[in-house]
């Protein structure tokens, strides 16, 4: 009985930790940086009401675009993820 409770608790903790690690699964490192994602993020950034957050997100997005053009998908994804953090309050 205690063993099954411990296993259930461990599974629950593992699932909760995984959910917190990638709250927005679209922008995880497993994703590839591409034009579609950049356009989607641009729309999200345009909807930010706070001008300082929007400016910071646009800077990250511009860097992501430049890195995609330089064929650096990992760098692009990193800056795209950074921009996503500004979109989420």
């Amino acid at each position: 009985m205690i063993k099954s409770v411990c296993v259930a608790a461990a599974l629950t903790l593992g699932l909760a930790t995984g959910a917190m690690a990638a709250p927005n699964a679209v922008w995880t490192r497993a994703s590839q940086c591409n034009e579609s994602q950049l356009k989607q993020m641009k729309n999200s950034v345009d909807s930010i009401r706070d001008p300082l957050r929007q400016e910071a997100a646009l800077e990250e997005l511009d860097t992501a675009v430049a890195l995609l053009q330089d064929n650096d998908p990992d760098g692009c994804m990193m800056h795209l993820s950074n921009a996503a953090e500004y979109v989420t309050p």
Side-chain angles (χ1 to χ4, degrees):
M1 177 71 175
I2 291 175
K3 187 176 184 180
S4 62
V5 171
C6 289
V7 170
L11 287 174
T12 303
L13 180 62
L15 293 174
T17 304
M20 289 187 299
N24 191 351
V26 175
W27 311 113
T28 61
R29 278 203 157 292
S31 299
Q32 291 184 2
C33 201
N34 58 46
E35 291 291 328
S36 174
Q37 286 182 333
L38 292 172
K39 288 178 185 177
Q40 182 182 6
M41 181 55 69
K42 174 71 170 125
N43 291 336
S44 296
V45 168
D46 287 342
S47 70
I48 297 174
R49 293 183 184 178
D50 180 2
L52 294 176
R53 279 185 34 223
Q54 186 179 42
E55 182 180 345
L58 283 171
E59 190 174 309
E60 292 288 345
L61 188 59
D62 290 344
T63 303
V65 169
L67 289 170
L68 182 63
Q69 291 172 351
D70 289 343
N71 199 22
D72 182 1
D74 288 336
C76 176
M77 199 64 226
M78 181 182 73
H79 286 279
L80 193 60
S81 296
N82 291 346
E85 290 179 19
Y86 288 106
V87 172
T88 307

